[in-house]
Amino acid sequence: MSELNLTSAPAHLRHGSNIGQPLTRRDGILKVTGQASYAADNHPPGMLFAVMAVSSIARGRVVSLDVAAAKRHPGVIDVMTPDHKPELAIDPDLKTNPFVFRMEVLQSNDIRYANQAIAVVIAETLEAATEGAAQLAPRYEVQPALVGLDAGESFVPPVVGVGNPTESHRGDVEAGLAAADKQIDATYETPPQYHNAMEPHAIVARWEGDKLFLDTPSQAMVMARARVAELFGLAPEKIHIRSPFLGGGFGSKGFLTGPQILGVMAAKLVGRPVKLVLRREQMYGPVGHRAPTRQRLRLGADGEGRLTALDHHARTVSSTFDDFYEPAADASHTLYAAPAIRTSHDAVRVNTGTPLFMRAPGEATGSIALESAIDEMAWACGMDPLAFRLKNYAEVEPMTGRPFSSKALRACYEQGAARFGWAKRPLQPRQMRDDAGLLVGWGMGTATFPALMFQAEARAAIRRDGSGVMEIGAHDMGQGAWTALAQIAADSVGLDIDRLDFRSGTSDLPDAGIAGGSAHTATAGAAIHSAGAAVIGKLADLATSDERSPLFGAGNAGVIARDGRLIRRDDESRSESYAEILARAGVAEVEARGTGAPNPAAMEQYAMHAHGAVFAEVKVDPELGQVRLTRMIGAFAAGRIVNPRMVQSQLFGGMIWGMSFALHEAAITDRRSGRIMNANLGEYHIPVNADVPPLDVITVEEHDPHVNALGIKGVGEIGITGSAGAVANAVWHATGVRVRDFPIRIEELLT
Amino acid sequence: MKPFDYVRPATVTEAVAAAAQPGAVYLAAGTNLLDLMKGGISRPDRLVDVTRLDGLDQIETLADGSLRIGALVRNADLAHDAEFARSYPAVAEALLSGASAQLRNAATVGGNLLQRTRCAYFYDTASRCNKQAPGSGCDARDGDNRSHAVLGWSESCIATHPSDFCVPLVALDAIVEIEGRGGRREVALDELHRLPGDAPERESVLEPGDLIVAVRLPPAARGFAAHARYLKVRERTSYAFAVVSAAAALRIENGRIAQARLALGGVAAKPWRARAAEDVLKGVAPTADAFQEAARRALESAKPSGDNAFKIELARRIVVRALTLAAAGTPVRIPALPASPFASTSGAVHV
Ligand SMILES: Cc1cc2nc3c(=O)[nH]c(=O)nc-3n(C[C@H](O)[C@H](O)[C@H](O)COP(=O)(O)OP(=O)(O)OC[C@H]3O[C@@H](n4cnc5c(N)ncnc54)[C@H](O)[C@@H]3O)c2cc1C
Ligand code: SF4
C-alpha cells in the first residue's frame, strides 16, 4: 500500500467533472516542503553506502584492482568485484524477453564502454566508499575504442525501435525523384544526448530473509520487479518496490539498470541495507541515451510544390553487446503525403552503453532532419513553409493508407500561425532585424507522436462512508500522474476528487504498465476508468435489485453516478447515496477491477497520432553568431486533455527540449578514447532560464472516438518533435545559413 | 574522498604558515576546489580555510584614489556594490556575466583569480595532462579542442584561463597584493598568471603559502567609467564560460581616444592584455576603421591550437564590437543580460 499522504485539496476544485480541470499538483506541497521522499532519501537503520568504481577505458579488460588498498581505507566494509559477489540466478546477458536489456553487473572483467562499473565499494560512509573506489587503481588491457558513426562496418539491423521494420516503402521513390522538378538531397547529423534526469538513478536495497525491499525510481515497477525476480531467483511477490516520485526519467528509468542491480547485490553481499546513488558523470553510460544519427533525406517535388518522393535513411549506432536502434527515419511515415516514401536504417557498433529510449525516441531525431528538409524544399519551391506543408497535408497516413482516428493538424497550423503572426513572414531569409540590429528569423515545424497504449490494471472500491479508493501502481515522474490519474479516477466513480483515496507508486498495487511512450495517462487512465465503471456497476446492482431502494428496478443502464450518489437516468429525483446503499446492504465495501489495453481492431483500422505545429522566432547576432530563441508557440491536438495545467507543462518541457536539441545539447565523445568529455551539467549544455522566452501553448480541441474510451492521446513526448526543427529553420531564416549538424554552433554562423 | 586535514587559521600569518606545508591548499568558497576534489583531480592533504580570516572582505577607497578589494569579497557583493559598479562598470558587468547567481553569491575574489582551467582533459583523471603530471603529454592537443587557446599557448598545454572577472581587471592595470612567507608583496595581475611554456603545471607566480589578500585598482582605472564594457560570447544566454570575451575601456577627450584599454578572455592561459591594440587607438577618433585595426593588432600573433581557428575571427569581431559599445558609452544600468550580445534586447529578467 502507498504510505503516502497527499495534501488535501488541490486548487480549482470544482464539482461535477474532475477531468478537464486545471488542478495543481496534489503532491506539490509535499515537494516544495521537502516531504516527498525520493529513493535516495530513505535511510533504513544500519544502512551502508555503496559507490561504483567505473572504467576509464571504453574497450578492453581490467587486469588488476588493488582491493587490499581499498579495504584498508577506514570505514570500508567490503569490495564487490567479479571474483567476489553474490551469484545471480541467471546470466544477466540472457535476453529473457525483448524488453530485457543487457547490463553490467560485474559478470566479467571485460570492458564494453567507459563508465562501466568494474567494482563496488561498500562502506560506513559515502566518503569512505568514494575513497575506497579511488584506491582501487585499476590497471587495464586497452583495446582501441570504436567511436562515432563511422566506426567499423555498417550493417542493417533486424528491427529498429520496438520491433519496427528496418526498411519500409510505398510507391517508387526513384521514379518519384526522377520525375521531380525540384530535388533536395541533404544530410543531417544529431549527436548523442543523455537524459540527465535531475534525480540520478538511486537504489536503497534491504533484504529481510528472502524478502527484498527496494526504494528506486522506476517508470515501470512491475517490469522492474520481474527483472529483479529473475536475476535473484525470487518470486515477484517477495519483492516490494516503492517509487512514489521520480525526479524525471525521460525513458532512462524505464528499465532497471546495472547499477540498481549492483545495489541489490551489494546489500546481499554484506547482509545490510545498502544505498547506491550514481554520480552525475556515471549516468553517462549504464542508463541509456539517445543514439547519434546521420540522416540523409532526398525529396522530390513537382512544379506546384507537391512532393513526388521522400527518401529518408538514418545511420545510427548501438552498443557492441546489445541492440537498440534509434528509429529516426520512421518519422517520415506519418506527416507528408508523398506518393512514394522509403525509410531505411543502418548502424555501426560502438563502445558505448546501449542507447535506449529517450523522450520521443526516433521521432525527435527524425523530426529535426525531416522538418529541416521540408523547409529546404519549401524554399527550393519558392513557397512559404506553412503553405508547403498544407499543400502536402496527409489526409490518410501516407505510409499505410489508413485513415486517421482523428487529426486536427490543420487547426493546429491555423491557430498557431494566427497567434504567431506567421502571415507577415518574408519568404527570403535574412530579411528581418530588430531595433538593435540583430537578425530575426521565423521557422516552423510539424509535431507528431503516435497515440500508444500498453496494458494496465486498476482496483476500485467504494467504502461504507461513501468515499472511494482507486489503486494502481502508477508512476509520477513529475508529469503529474498523482493528479491527472486521480481526476480520471474520481470521475470514474462519480466522486469529487477529495472523496477519493488514490493509491499509487508501489509495486504491490495493480500493474499500471510502463510510464513511457506518452501512453501512461491513456493506459492507466483506461484501467482506472474501467475499474471505476465496474465498481459502480456492482453498487448499482445492489441498489437496483433491492426493493427498499428508490432505485429498485432501474437496472444497470438506468443509473448514473454523480457526487457520491446513484441517480436514476430517466428520473433525477430518484437517487440514493453510496453510503446508504452499502449500509442497507450491510457490506463494508464493494470492489472491482478493470483493465486498460489497446484495441487491436481499432489499431488495425486507424492510424493513431497526436499532432501539432510549432512556430519559433530566434535572434542571431549578425557578426558574433550567438543565437537566442525569443518566441515559441506550439499548437497541439492530442485528444482529450485531462488536466490542462499538467498538459501545458508537458508541452512546455518538450518545446524547451526541442530548442535544446537544435541549439545546445550534445555529449562530446573523445574520438580516441571513447570517453565522454562533458559528463556534467556545467558543460553538457541544456537551456537555462535565460534561454527560455515566455512560451505559448494552444491545445486544439480534438475528439477521438477510436483511441480509447476516454479519447486520450498523450502529450509526454510530442512537444520535442516539431520544436527542434522549428528553431533550426528559424536560424536559417534569420541568417540564410543552413546548418545541418546539430546542435547549431556559433562557428557555423560566423559568415 | 581522500581524507584531509582541515584548518581554520585565525590570522593571515598563521594561514600562510599552514598553507606553506606540502600538500596544503587554500579553501575559499570552494566552488572550484571542491569540484576538483570530488573528481579526484585535486587530492590535497590539508585545506586551509581562509573564509573566516578577519579584514579580507572589505572594499575600501585608499587615500590616493585606488580601490582595494579584499580577497574574500564575494563576487556578487562586489558586482552589486553601487559605488563600485559606477566606477568600474566593465568589471561589474564581467562579474555578473559569470557562472550563476548561486555561484557568484559564494565565489570569492581570490578564488576567481586562481580558478583552474576548464580544459576537459584536465578534469578527466584518465587523460594525459601536463598540468596534472608534468611531461605526461597533453590529450587536448589532438582531442576535442575547439574551446582551447589561440594565443600564448605552447606545445605542452593549450588550456585557457576561464575567468571573466580577470579580463577587465587586467585591462585596468589591477595589482594583486600577496602575503607570503617573506611578507607582503605585490604583482601586476598581468604578471600573476603564467603562460604554459614548457611548465604548464606552474600556473601562476605564487609560491607555496602565498595568499592573495587583496586586488587593487589604481587611481587611473576610474578614468574609464564613462566608456567601459565587457562582452562575452557564449553557447547559451547565461551560465556558460566565454567562448571568447573582451573588455574595452576608453578615455575619450574632444572626440578622440586619449587612452584605450583592451583585454581578451577565453583565448589564453591568462587574461590577455592587448597592448599593441591599445597603442593604435591612442589619439585617434573612435571609428570603425580604427577598431578594425585594433582588432587586427590584438590577434596578430594568434594561431589555432586545434579545431579552433574560428575563435580568432570571433575574437576580432568581439574586439570591434566591445570597442564600439564602449565608445557609445557605458549604459546607466548594467543590462539584465550582462555582457551578452543580447544585452540590448528588452524583456530579460533572468541571468
Ligand atoms: C558550473 C560553473 C560555472 C562557472 N562559470 C563561470 C563563468 O562563466 N565565468 C567565470 O569567471 N567563472 C565561472 N565559474 C568559476 C567560478 O567563478 C569560480 O569557481 C570561483 O570564482 C572560485 O572562487 P572560490 O572562492 O569558490 O574559490 P575556491 O574554489 O575556494 O578556490 C579556487 C582556487 O583558488 C585558491 N584560492 C582561493 N582563494 C585564495 C587566496 N585568497 N589566495 C590564494 N589562493 C586562493 C584555492 O586554493 C583554489 O586553488 C564557474 C564555476 C562553476 C562551478
Ligand atoms: S591543454 Fe593543458 S590542461 Fe588541457 S590536457 Fe593539455 S596540458 Fe592538460
Side-chain angles (χ1 to χ4, degrees):
Chain A
M1 263 328 112
S2 166
E3 286 134 52
L4 187 89
N5 220 341
L6 287 173
T7 50
S8 49
H12 304 284
L13 205 61
R14 202 197 71 166
H15 286 274
S17 167
N18 296 286
I19 293 179
Q21 298 304 309
L23 303 195
T24 55
R25 280 177 172 69
R26 301 172 63 231
D27 44 345
I29 292 189
L30 284 183
K31 284 184 175 166
V32 297
T33 54
Q35 296 173 76
S37 41
Y38 290 80
D41 295 331
N42 292 284
H43 284 195
M47 187 188 81
L48 298 173
F49 294 82
V51 165
M52 298 193 319
V54 298
S55 168
S56 63
I57 66 163
R59 183 178 174 206
R61 241 165 49 80
V62 179
V63 284
S64 79
L65 288 170
D66 196 345
V67 172
K71 281 194 164 162
R72 269 197 307 276
H73 188 75
V76 171
I77 303 281
D78 208 345
V79 178
M80 194 161 75
T81 66
D83 300 328
H84 176 60
K85 62 170 200 290
E87 285 313 312
L88 295 174
I90 61 164
D91 176 358
D93 281 335
L94 197 67
K95 283 180 90 86
T96 47
N97 75 61
F99 269 105
V100 160
F101 286 90
R102 301 202 163 103
M103 51 172 68
E104 297 67 38
V105 286
L106 303 175
Q107 62 264 45
S108 84
N109 287 313
D110 291 345
I111 304 291
R112 301 158 156 182
Y113 57 87
N115 278 341
Q116 176 187 325
I118 55 174
V120 175
V121 179
I122 306 146
E124 296 284 356
T125 63
L126 176 62
E127 291 76 8
T130 305
E131 182 57 18
Q135 292 295 332
L136 287 170
R139 287 193 307 116
Y140 303 100
E141 202 176 276
V142 188
Q143 283 182 274
L146 298 166
V147 180
L149 286 158
D150 296 308
E153 279 289 294
S154 73
F155 60 95
V156 176
V159 295
V160 294
V162 188
N164 304 5
T166 306
E167 297 194 20
S168 311
H169 55 88
R170 179 185 178 88
D172 187 340
V173 165
E174 295 306 330
L177 287 171
D181 277 333
K182 294 279 188 296
Q183 285 200 27
I184 293 291
D185 183 344
T187 301
Y188 306 87
E189 274 199 32
T190 68
Q193 299 174 346
Y194 283 76
H195 304 78
N196 272 314
M198 191 85 94
E199 176 203 25
H201 290 63
I203 190 160
V204 177
R206 179 166 61 89
W207 291 85
E208 245 177 47
D210 65 345
K211 287 210 207 97
L212 179 59
F213 296 85
L214 302 176
D215 289 297
T216 197
S218 171
Q219 293 175 239
M221 278 181 291
V222 169
M223 224 161 71
R225 190 176 63 173
R227 185 74 168 130
V228 177
E230 68 178 19
L231 285 169
F232 290 89
L234 297 173
E237 309 76 62
K238 302 275 187 193
I239 303 162
H240 183 70
I241 301 180
R242 293 190 296 187
S243 179
F245 307 109
L246 290 84
F250 314 118
S252 74
K253 292 166 183 165
F255 303 97
L256 219 55
T257 62
Q260 288 161 300
I261 296 298
L262 288 170
V264 183
M265 289 165 66
K268 191 163 185 184
L269 184 72
V270 295
R272 283 168 66 176
V274 161
K275 168 155 106 174
L276 188 152
V277 183
L278 290 195
R279 295 168 59 102
R280 176 64 53 186
E281 63 269 26
Q282 293 176 339
M283 293 173 70
Y284 289 71
V287 302
H289 65 283
R290 196 194 296 286
T293 68
R294 181 185 297 140
Q295 302 176 54
R296 181 175 180 206
L297 277 112
R298 295 192 302 152
L299 273 57
D302 67 17
E304 280 155 53
R306 241 180 255 109
L307 286 169
T308 58
L310 166 52
D311 186 23
H312 191 162
H313 176 76
R315 157 74 57 90
T316 187
V317 307
S318 193
S319 66
T320 53
F321 57 93
D322 209 345
D323 299 283
F324 180 83
Y325 301 94
E326 177 84 3
D330 291 0
S332 288
H333 289 177
T334 48
L335 276 182
Y336 300 107
I341 303 179
R342 178 169 62 205
T343 60
S344 57
H345 299 82
D346 71 349
V348 295
R349 293 197 182 276
V350 298
N351 289 112
T352 158
T354 307
L356 275 174
F357 305 87
M358 179 162 143
R359 202 174 195 179
E363 287 81 9
T365 38
S367 168
I368 193 170
L370 175 63
E371 292 304 312
S372 294
I374 290 288
D375 210 61
E376 295 201 43
M377 184 52 109
W379 172 239
C381 294
M383 285 175 73
D384 172 80
L386 177 53
F388 183 80
R389 284 172 171 84
L390 286 169
K391 180 75 120 194
N392 291 284
Y393 192 87
E395 301 292 352
V396 296
E397 188 177 50
M399 198 50 141
T400 61
R402 281 180 304 190
F404 291 100
S405 59
S406 63
K407 179 176 176 179
L409 176 58
R410 231 184 264 284
C412 296
Y413 283 141
E414 257 164 44
Q415 294 180 29
R419 177 89 54 99
F420 189 83
W422 182 259
K424 294 207 245 11
R425 177 184 181 275
L427 196 56
Q428 302 259 341
R430 220 179 164 97
Q431 298 298 303
M432 301 194 288
R433 299 245 180 180
D434 73 358
D435 295 346
L438 296 167
L439 296 167
V440 179
W442 291 357
M444 68 168 296
T446 311
T448 183
F449 196 84
L452 304 172
M453 277 186 78
F454 304 119
Q455 312 267 348
E457 246 197 294
R459 176 187 166 270
I462 303 291
R463 292 186 293 217
R464 188 69 168 262
D465 64 357
S467 68
V469 180
M470 186 66 72
E471 295 183 339
I472 182 160
H475 311 91
D476 197 326
M477 304 181 277
Q479 85 277 34
W482 278 113
T483 310
L485 293 180
Q487 286 175 265
I488 297 173
D491 273 10
S492 76
V493 291
L495 285 171
D496 219 58
I497 197 164
D498 61 349
R499 294 284 289 151
L500 179 85
D501 182 5
F502 182 73
R503 298 176 185 161
S504 187
T506 59
S507 65
D508 53 353
L509 297 172
D511 180 9
I514 180 167
S518 299
H520 200 39
T521 309
T523 310
I528 288 168
H529 181 74
S530 77
V535 83
I536 292 300
K538 283 191 180 173
L539 199 61
D541 278 348
L542 284 181
T544 56
S545 59
D546 187 333
E547 336 184 300
R548 291 164 296 172
S549 166
L551 298 172
F552 177 66
N556 270 4
V559 297
I560 47 178
R562 195 167 67 217
D563 285 342
R565 303 182 76 79
L566 292 184
I567 303 161
R568 208 180 151 111
R569 196 185 291 276
D570 54 6
D571 177 4
E572 295 220 351
S573 71
R574 299 178 70 178
S575 72
E576 196 171 27
S577 77
Y578 301 169
E580 286 163 347
I581 298 168
L582 291 173
R584 182 155 12 69
V587 287
E589 73 170 35
V590 281
E591 65 142 10
R593 287 182 175 257
T595 57
N599 172 352
M603 286 177 65
E604 193 56 42
Q605 204 177 344
Y606 296 103
M608 300 175 177
H609 301 275
H611 291 94
V614 183
F615 298 84
E617 176 186 272
V618 301
K619 293 190 177 177
V620 183
D621 188 296
E623 284 100 32
L624 307 179
Q626 197 174 315
V627 181
R628 187 160 188 249
L629 181 75
T630 45
R631 243 163 19 105
M632 178 136 74
I633 292 174
F636 297 92
R640 183 196 294 247
I641 301 304
V642 175
N643 181 320
R645 185 188 303 271
M646 311 284 133
V647 164
Q648 188 189 48
S649 295
Q650 284 295 298
L651 295 169
F652 281 168
M655 287 161 70
I656 293 168
W657 208 330
M659 177 255 270
S660 183
F661 199 127
L663 300 180
H664 299 297
E665 246 179 283
I668 294 165
T669 312
D670 183 87
R671 57 182 173 268
R672 301 154 301 177
S673 68
R675 274 199 298 281
I676 294 170
M677 300 312 296
N678 60 342
N680 63 73
L681 288 179
E683 333 295 293
Y684 180 98
H685 283 177
I686 55 170
V688 296
N689 276 334
D691 292 306
V692 184
L695 302 173
D696 201 351
V697 156
I698 303 167
T699 43
V700 171
E701 231 358 87
E702 189 178 65
H703 297 280
D704 193 316
H706 307 295
V707 279
N708 49 56
L710 291 167
I712 296 169
K713 283 184 173 174
V715 293
E717 292 162 277
I718 189 171
I720 185 170
T721 72
S723 301
V727 173
N729 293 336
V731 170
W732 171 78
H733 190 241
T735 61
V737 180
R738 176 63 67 178
V739 181
R740 301 190 182 89
D741 210 347
F742 300 106
I744 296 171
R745 299 240 184 235
I746 284 165
E747 54 262 45
E748 313 264 9
L749 303 177
L750 291 181
T751 47
Chain B
M1 249 180 176
K2 179 182 160 188
F4 51 82
D5 290 338
Y6 170 86
V7 295
R8 195 189 283 166
T11 65
V12 167
T13 316
E14 271 178 51
V16 170
Q21 306 296 319
V25 296
Y26 287 119
L27 171 70
T31 60
N32 188 208
L33 181 61
L34 295 189
D35 268 359
L36 290 163
M37 289 171 67
K38 287 184 205 163
I41 299 109
S42 289
R43 293 177 60 80
D45 298 313
R46 168 187 278 195
L47 291 188
V48 181
D49 183 349
V50 296
T51 54
R52 317 293 168 96
L53 290 177
D54 273 342
L56 299 186
D57 60 353
Q58 303 296 312
I59 307 171
E60 2 161 29
T61 307
L62 306 182
D64 68 349
S66 312
L67 186 88
R68 188 169 183 275
I69 309 157
L72 292 180
V73 173
R74 307 282 170 179
N75 287 191
D77 290 340
L78 183 59
H80 291 301
D81 183 290
E83 174 52 30
F84 178 81
R86 233 186 334 272
S87 306
Y88 315 99
V91 186
E93 189 168 17
L95 280 168
L96 292 176
S97 75
S100 65
Q102 293 88 335
L103 284 158
R104 295 192 297 267
N105 286 342
T108 64
V109 162
N112 193 314
L113 264 50
L114 293 178
Q115 62 174 294
R116 314 292 298 274
T117 180
R118 306 307 289 199
C119 170
Y121 298 91
F122 170 77
Y123 277 80
D124 176 28
T125 50
S127 289
R128 290 178 312 154
C129 170
N130 286 324
K131 265 192 204 297
Q132 287 292 351
S136 64
C138 167
D139 271 345
R141 282 298 275 137
D142 295 315
D144 185 77
N145 49 23
R146 64 182 275 282
S147 54
H148 282 71
V150 292
L151 284 162
W153 53 272
S154 73
E155 288 302 322
S156 62
C157 179
I158 60 172
T160 62
H161 191 263
S163 167
D164 291 305
F165 180 42
C166 286
V167 181
L169 280 184
V170 83
L172 295 175
D173 280 339
I175 293 153
V176 182
E177 294 181 16
I178 300 158
E179 182 86 16
R181 281 171 298 177
R184 190 68 62 108
R185 69 182 199 283
E186 299 184 344
V187 300
L189 176 59
D190 201 15
E191 312 283 299
L192 179 72
H193 302 97
R194 294 179 74 255
L195 289 177
D198 51 14
E201 72 281 7
R202 293 216 48 213
E203 293 174 349
S204 75
V205 298
L206 298 185
E207 299 291 335
D210 276 355
L211 177 72
I212 293 180
V213 290
V215 172
R216 225 171 53 231
L217 283 164
R222 286 178 201 272
F224 299 91
H227 294 281
R229 289 305 294 270
Y230 185 65
L231 178 66
K232 173 180 178 184
V233 166
R234 56 204 120 162
E235 289 178 326
R236 55 185 169 190
T237 308
S238 176
Y239 195 43
F241 290 96
V243 178
V244 179
S245 69
L250 301 172
R251 210 148 51 67
I252 299 183
E253 287 170 6
N254 306 320
R256 296 200 166 264
I257 300 170
Q259 209 176 9
R261 298 289 179 81
L262 183 70
L264 289 159
V267 292
K270 58 188 286 190
W272 191 266
R273 179 81 180 262
R275 286 204 167 76
E278 294 174 3
D279 290 345
V280 302
L281 292 172
K282 199 173 166 82
V284 306
T287 61
D289 284 351
F291 296 158
Q292 292 285 358
E293 178 57 13
R296 198 184 63 74
R297 284 299 199 79
L299 277 302
E300 215 158 34
S301 61
K303 57 180 192 315
S305 61
D307 219 2
N308 56 3
F310 79 95
K311 285 181 70 167
I312 299 173
E313 177 57 21
L314 180 60
R316 283 193 200 101
R317 296 183 186 189
I318 287 176
V319 166
V320 172
R321 179 74 65 80
L323 286 166
T324 310
L325 289 170
T330 307
V332 183
R333 292 184 57 211
I334 294 182
L337 296 174
S340 170
F342 301 99
S344 57
T345 51
S346 54
V349 282
H350 299 288
V351 288

